[in-house]
């Protein structure tokens, strides 16, 4: 969107605290509406929990991600900041495929109009018996009839039992999907959030159900392009600038940040987007009058870890597919759930495999070398290639608070708060999606919309005055 065509935020000074995908999305939206945006990020790189990191001289992701074709807002925003989704993402049909001969299944949706893509995929699926296929068909038909929602939320395991899903289907399809999408074990995961994901994958039109695997590292996919987009529209991006305190003033909000990127200034703004993780947001607002209940609510989230194990082999190594599901069995110390052949995504990463472990509590408790060795042995057994047991090097990245625990009936706050001119943004805010890039982007866009509404109200009341930088800015009360 051209800034000259959208002036709803013209003259509004807005601080965005947090440079993850939600914060970057909010800042892009506001900059495109001609607001004066200042983005603060404590880390030296943007992206939050979906960013690039340097390992062994390569730019990799701090965790492997998959997007869905249904992530329409994310795809539009990536394109708006100058990244071509068709080139940046490998688009694959909906699938759940295990290594041949490993005892799994092979389920691939053909490129046919819905619902034929699912009907043919189920008919062609290998590794599922008639009972399994009938159970899957019965479940998806019933879920569609229910509008992909329960009146009373229950754990996914209860939902699956209620619809007589077979043990094999649960192990090969539902459990890995639940872990990948919600990062919460089926015994504790929200059925309604799981159904929302299925609605936009198994139950959607074919293109929406496609799986999109980033070819670029996550920082290049959106955050760095977003920073350029913001700066080109007169905004400022301060990486390495930690916001230690915020305060209400008679004219708006004061932000105190430290770090060379911002010079340690106290700056004043008309409005403020808090796009930090919920615990950090709680710490910033806890001392504000009237914010105690919200701070306690933000501090009450539980979290689940994700581990990504990178293993480097000879550059000529190539798996049969860009990514495969793996048979997880923690009791047998097989923790890997999905493996990605990075060389099929980026030619410069030949021989590099990334193995993802969601809800990785037991795996994350192991030391890095032990976990990497177990994962390598799991790969060697799954693919029948003993050489996979001995990578040239390995590295495990674990985010102990990768996502909130997506449990039934979880109360998630909206963007708006009772603090005039302050809004929240993050994948944890109210949404029918779990913690995904799409929910982060939508939340950031919702936060920007709320800020612009405050700005319009302030102008109508004649209370919006403009300074800039460290001089008093107007109020959006």
């Amino acid at each position: 969107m051209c800034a000259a065509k959208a002036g709803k935020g013209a003259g509004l000074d807005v601080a965005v605290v947090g440079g993850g995908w939600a914060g970057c999305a909010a800042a892009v939206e506001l900059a495109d509406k001609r607001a004066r945006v200042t983005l603060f990020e404590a880390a030296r790189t943007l992206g939050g929990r979906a960013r690039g990191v340097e390992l062994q001289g390569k730019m990799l992701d701090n965790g492997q991600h998959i997007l869905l074709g249904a992530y329409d807002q994310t795809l539009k925003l990536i394109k708006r900041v100058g990244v071509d989704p068709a080139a940046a993402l490998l688009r694959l049909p909906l699938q759940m495929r295990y290594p041949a001969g490993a005892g799994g299944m092979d389920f691939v949706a053909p490129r046919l109009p819905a619902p034929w893509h699912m009907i043919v995929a189920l008919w062609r699926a290998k590794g599922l018996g008639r009972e399994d296929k009938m159970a899957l068909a019965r479940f998806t038909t019933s879920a569609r009839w229910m509008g992909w929602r329960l009146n009373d939320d229950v754990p996914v395991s209860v939902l699956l039992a209620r619809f007589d899903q077979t043990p094999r289907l649960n192990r090969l399809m539902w459990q890995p999907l639940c872990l990948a999408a919600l990062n919460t074990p089926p015994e504790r995961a929200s059925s309604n959030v799981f159904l929302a994901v299925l609605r936009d994958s198994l139950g959607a039109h074919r293109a929406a159900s496609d799986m999109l695997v980033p070819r670029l590292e996550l920082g290049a996919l959106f955050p760095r392009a977003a920073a350029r987009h913001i700066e080109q529209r007169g905004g400022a991006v301060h990486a390495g600038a930690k916001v230690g305190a915020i305060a209400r003033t008679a004219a708006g909000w004061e932000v105190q940040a430290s770090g060379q990127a911002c010079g340690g200034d106290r700056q004043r703004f008309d409005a403020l987007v808090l796009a930090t993780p919920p615990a950090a947001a709680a710490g910033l607002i806890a001392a504000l009058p009237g914010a105690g209940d919200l701070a306690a609510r933000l501090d009450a989230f539980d979290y689940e870890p994700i581990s990504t194990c990178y293993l480097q082999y000879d550059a000529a190594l190539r798996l049969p597919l860009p990514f495969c599901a793996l048979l997880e069995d923690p009791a047998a110390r097989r923790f890997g759930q999905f493996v990605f052949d990075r060389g099929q995504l980026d030619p410069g990463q030949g021989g590099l495999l990334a193995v993802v472990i969601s809800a990785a509590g037991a795996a994350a408790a192991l030391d890095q070398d032990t976990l990497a060795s177990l994962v390598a042995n799991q790969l060697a057994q799954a693919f029948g290639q003993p050489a996979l047991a001995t990578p040239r090097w390995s590295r495990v990245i674990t985010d102990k608070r990768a996502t909130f625990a997506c449990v039934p009936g979880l109360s998630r706050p909206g963007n708006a708060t009772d603090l005039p001119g302050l809004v929240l943004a993050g994948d944890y805010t109210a949404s029918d999606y779990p913690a995904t890039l799409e929910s982060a982007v939508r939340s950031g866009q919702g936060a920007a919309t709320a800020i612009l509404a405050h700005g319009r109200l302030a102008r109508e009341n004649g209370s919006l005055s403009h300074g800039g930088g460290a001089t008093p800015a107007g109020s959006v009360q």
Side-chain angles (χ1 to χ4, degrees), residues 388-436:
L388 292 177
T390 53
R392 292 181 175 179
W393 59 260
S394 62
R395 174 71 181 275
V396 176
I397 300 176
T398 296
D399 187 338
K400 294 184 178 180
R401 290 190 164 203
T403 70
F404 61 86
C406 196
V407 297
L410 181 64
S411 176
R412 296 160 65 178
N415 292 118
T417 73
D418 291 333
L419 302 170
L422 184 148
V423 301
L424 303 174
D427 58 15
Y428 67 90
T429 61
S431 168
D432 59 356
Y433 266 23
T436 62

Side-chain angles (χ1 to χ4, degrees), residues 133-155:
K133 293 182 179 182
M134 292 298 294
L136 195 157
R138 183 170 59 248
F139 178 85
T140 54
T141 300
S142 299
R144 190 185 301 275
W145 178 81
M146 296 187 307
W148 303 96
R149 187 165 185 84
L150 301 175
N151 290 330
D152 298 311
D153 202 1
V154 297

Side-chain angles (χ1 to χ4, degrees), residues 90-408:
L90 174 64
R91 181 177 285 266
L92 298 169
L94 178 68
Q95 57 192 267
M96 183 67 73
R97 312 185 74 178
Y98 290 79
M105 62 183 283
D106 194 52
F107 179 98
V108 186
R111 299 194 180 278
L112 295 173
W116 291 105
H117 69 313
M118 284 301 301
I119 294 172
V120 174
L122 187 57
W123 176 58
R124 290 178 176 175
K126 300 176 182 178
L128 294 179
R130 182 178 183 276
E131 182 184 7
D132 305 316
K133 293 182 179 182
M134 292 298 294
L136 195 157
R138 183 170 59 248
F139 178 85
T140 54
T141 300
S142 299
R144 190 185 301 275
W145 178 81
M146 296 187 307
W148 303 96
R149 187 165 185 84
L150 301 175
N151 290 330
D152 298 311
D153 202 1
V154 297
V156 169
S157 59
V158 173
L159 173 72
L160 298 176
R162 186 176 294 175
F163 286 93
D164 298 319
Q165 299 302 282
T166 65
R168 183 166 178 79
L169 190 61
N170 285 340
R171 186 186 185 199
L172 297 182
M173 174 74 96
W174 298 133
Q175 179 170 317
L177 276 179
C178 181
L179 288 169
L182 277 65
N183 192 37
T184 307
E187 296 75 22
R188 295 189 290 109
S190 163
S191 287
N192 276 335
V193 177
F194 186 56
L195 286 168
V197 174
L198 297 182
R199 177 196 65 207
D200 293 342
S201 53
L202 300 183
H205 62 85
R206 188 205 56 76
S209 71
D210 283 348
M211 294 176 157
L212 312 179
V213 188
R215 294 181 181 275
L216 305 178
E217 52 92 1
L218 292 170
L221 184 60
F222 173 62
R224 291 204 295 275
R228 291 192 297 270
H229 188 90
I230 294 161
E231 291 171 340
Q232 288 166 359
R233 284 151 183 78
V237 178
H238 299 316
K242 180 178 176 58
V243 172
I246 60 174
R248 289 285 306 279
T249 70
W253 287 91
E254 183 179 81
V255 172
Q256 181 179 356
S258 60
Q260 294 182 350
C262 60
D265 291 338
R266 293 175 180 265
Q267 299 183 50
R268 294 187 177 183
F269 300 90
D270 297 319
L272 177 61
V273 179
L274 272 187
T276 63
L284 288 171
I285 67 171
L288 298 175
D293 289 346
L294 178 58
R297 190 177 179 190
L298 293 174
D299 227 5
F301 282 95
D302 292 324
Y303 297 89
E304 294 283 353
I306 296 178
S307 293
T308 300
C309 181
Y310 287 103
L311 305 106
Q312 180 67 61
Y313 299 92
D314 186 275
L317 175 76
R318 184 180 178 90
L319 295 184
L321 298 166
F323 82 96
C324 291
L326 298 170
L327 284 172
E328 178 195 29
D329 187 356
R333 308 192 87 188
R334 292 196 293 267
F335 296 104
Q337 296 154 358
F338 292 91
V339 57
F340 295 78
D341 185 346
R342 297 293 311 172
Q344 296 190 45
L345 303 170
D346 178 354
Q349 296 181 14
L352 181 65
L353 305 184
V355 177
V356 178
I357 308 170
S358 298
L366 301 172
D367 66 78
Q368 285 201 16
D369 290 342
T370 298
L371 180 56
S373 177
L374 291 171
V375 168
N377 284 322
Q378 181 184 4
L379 291 176
Q381 294 172 15
F383 289 96
Q385 298 184 36
L388 292 177
T390 53
R392 292 181 175 179
W393 59 260
S394 62
R395 174 71 181 275
V396 176
I397 300 176
T398 296
D399 187 338
K400 294 184 178 180
R401 290 190 164 203
T403 70
F404 61 86
C406 196
V407 297

